[in-house]
């Protein structure tokens, strides 16, 4: 953005400081003139019939006052320039860090030394912003790399199958069509998951009261065949818990949690879904049996394309490695919190806390 050149902040502060010093000096000299010289009689003999008189003192005082004001002006300009430079030095460091970050260098920090003041507070806030920005950029780059890899895999498989079909026209086209359908379905699922993740990150959705208990029942009913196929027992308990948000996104969040709990479970295991309201939050808890999880592994499960101890791959596992990443994104877009805790005896306990929906006041109409 181009702007017309103007006075620098240092020069403005210098002129302001010099003007303040000059005005202060002028006021002091005026006070001396009013309360001292006014008592000197304007006669030839002067005060107590001695010299000098008011006329002579006025000439002497006026000359000295002019010299004093000139000295104050010079000292005010010089001192103001030095003081302004020292005061604005932290601002120059912050500006330099901002210029470096604008060129893509997010690793530079201000790290302003000294005690806490307005400039140090600004520098600390700027450093915190750069830390968060660098973390988000690194996360986006890692996500883009993983997404590219995951999308490239089904495309490469499709190309290989088509190459085989072209080279061998007598190949079984039914089996080829089934494999292409499977690969294509997985690519579509991954693309839809990426679009949903992007939508939830933006947070541009209409908020309305959503009962998490009803959403949990719907998600469990939808995934009941998958649970029966794997021999997993599904149980929903709790009380109504109305959160403010998008019903479609919250349904996808609960569905992902329950599906993740079913897939990563033990044979003949169980999944428990519980909802409740606690103070000003709506709480959803999904608990499942499963293998023992190391405590240091749990925080990484919400990263995209992570499954268990290994990165997600295009194998027979359900999902594309974005289940908990989408859950984390939806919770964050709704202003809630997500806690993952290893379950005692194996498995995982996922607790979601969302702000409750505000109570709509009843309209106060006139009674007839």
């Amino acid at each position: 953005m181009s702007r017309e050149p103007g006075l620098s902040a240092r020069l403005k502060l210098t002129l302001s400081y010099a003007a303040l010093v000059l005005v202060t000096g002028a006021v002091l000299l005026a006070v001396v003139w009013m309360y001292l010289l006014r008592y000197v009689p304007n006669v030839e003999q002067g005060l107590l019939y001695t010299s000098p008189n008011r006329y002579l003192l006025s000439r002497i005082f006026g000359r000295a006052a002019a010299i004093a004001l000139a000295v104050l002006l010079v000292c005010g300009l010089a001192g103001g320039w030095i003081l302004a430079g020292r005061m604005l030095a932290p601002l120059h460091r912050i500006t330099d860090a901002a210029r470096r970050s604008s060129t893509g260098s997010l690793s530079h920090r201000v790290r302003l030394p000294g005690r806490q003041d307005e400039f140090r507070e600004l520098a600390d806030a700027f450093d915190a912003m750069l830390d968060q920005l660098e973390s988000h950029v690194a996360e986006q780059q890692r996500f883009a790399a993983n997404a590219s890899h995951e999308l490239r895999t089904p495309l490469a498989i499709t190309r290989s199958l088509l190459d085989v079909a072209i080279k061998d026209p007598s190949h079984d086209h039914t089996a080829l069509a089934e494999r292409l359908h499977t690969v294509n379905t997985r690519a579509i699922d991954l693309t839809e998951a990426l679009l949903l993740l992007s939508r939830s990150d933006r947070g541009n959705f209409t908020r309305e009261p959503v009962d998490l208990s009803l959403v949990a029942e719907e998600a469990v009913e939808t995934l009941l065949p998958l649970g029966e196929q794997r021999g997993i027992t599904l149980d929903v308990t709790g009380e109504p818990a109305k959160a403010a948000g998008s019903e479609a996104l919250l349904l996808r969040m609960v569905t992902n949690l329950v599906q993740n709990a079913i897939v990563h479970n033990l044979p003949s295991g169980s999944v428990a879904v519980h909802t409740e309201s606690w103070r000003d939050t709506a709480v959803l808890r999904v608990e499942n049996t499963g293998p023992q999880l190391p405590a240091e592994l749990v925080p990484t499960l919400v990263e995209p394309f992570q499954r268990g101890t290994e990165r997600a791959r295009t194998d027979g596992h359900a999902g594309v490695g974005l289940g908990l990443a989408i859950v984390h994104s939806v919770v964050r877009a709704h202003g809630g919190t997500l806690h993952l805790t290893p379950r005692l005896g194996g498995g995982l306990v996922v607790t979601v806390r969302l702000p409750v929906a505000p109570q709509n006041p009843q309209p106060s109409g006139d009674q007839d």
Side-chain angles (χ1 to χ4, degrees), residues 87 90 94 111-127:
M87 291 296 298
I94 298 174
R111 293 189 178 89
L112 201 61
R115 297 184 177 181
Q116 186 71 16
D117 59 13
E118 288 80 358
F119 285 113
R120 272 79 182 174
E121 185 177 356
L122 175 61
D124 293 342
F126 189 80
D127 286 343

Side-chain angles (χ1 to χ4, degrees), residues 228-247:
E228 294 177 349
Q229 178 185 356
R230 293 175 175 263
I232 306 298
T233 304
L234 303 179
D235 186 24
V236 182
T237 60
E239 58 186 22
K242 290 189 176 182
S246 167
E247 183 176 2

Side-chain angles (χ1 to χ4, degrees), residues 153-155 157-158 161 178-188:
T153 301
L155 293 177
I157 296 175
T158 301
L161 293 175
E178 291 178 355
R179 295 189 63 184
L180 286 176
H181 181 270
T182 302
V183 174
N184 186 60
T185 301
R186 186 170 188 82
I188 292 175

Side-chain angles (χ1 to χ4, degrees), residues 323-344:
L324 288 179
I326 292 176
V327 169
H328 185 228
S329 178
V330 171
V331 172
R332 184 171 53 191
H334 284 76
T337 58
L338 175 67
H339 295 282
L340 279 68
T341 308
R343 179 177 174 272
L344 185 63

Side-chain angles (χ1 to χ4, degrees), residues 131-197:
D131 288 336
Q132 188 175 10
L133 184 60
E134 186 179 20
S135 175
H136 286 174
V137 170
E139 181 181 352
Q140 291 297 326
Q141 291 176 345
R142 184 169 60 252
F143 176 80
N146 290 334
S148 300
H149 176 80
E150 296 296 330
L151 286 172
R152 182 177 60 185
T153 301
L155 293 177
I157 296 175
T158 301
R159 181 178 179 179
S160 299
L161 293 175
L162 293 175
D163 289 341
V164 171
I166 293 174
K167 294 179 180 179
D168 186 8
S170 61
H171 191 75
D172 187 1
H173 295 289
T174 302
L176 175 63
E178 291 178 355
R179 295 189 63 184
L180 286 176
H181 181 270
T182 302
V183 174
N184 186 60
T185 301
R186 186 170 188 82
I188 292 175
D189 292 341
L190 177 59
T191 304
E192 290 179 349
L194 292 173
L195 292 175
L196 179 63
L197 187 60

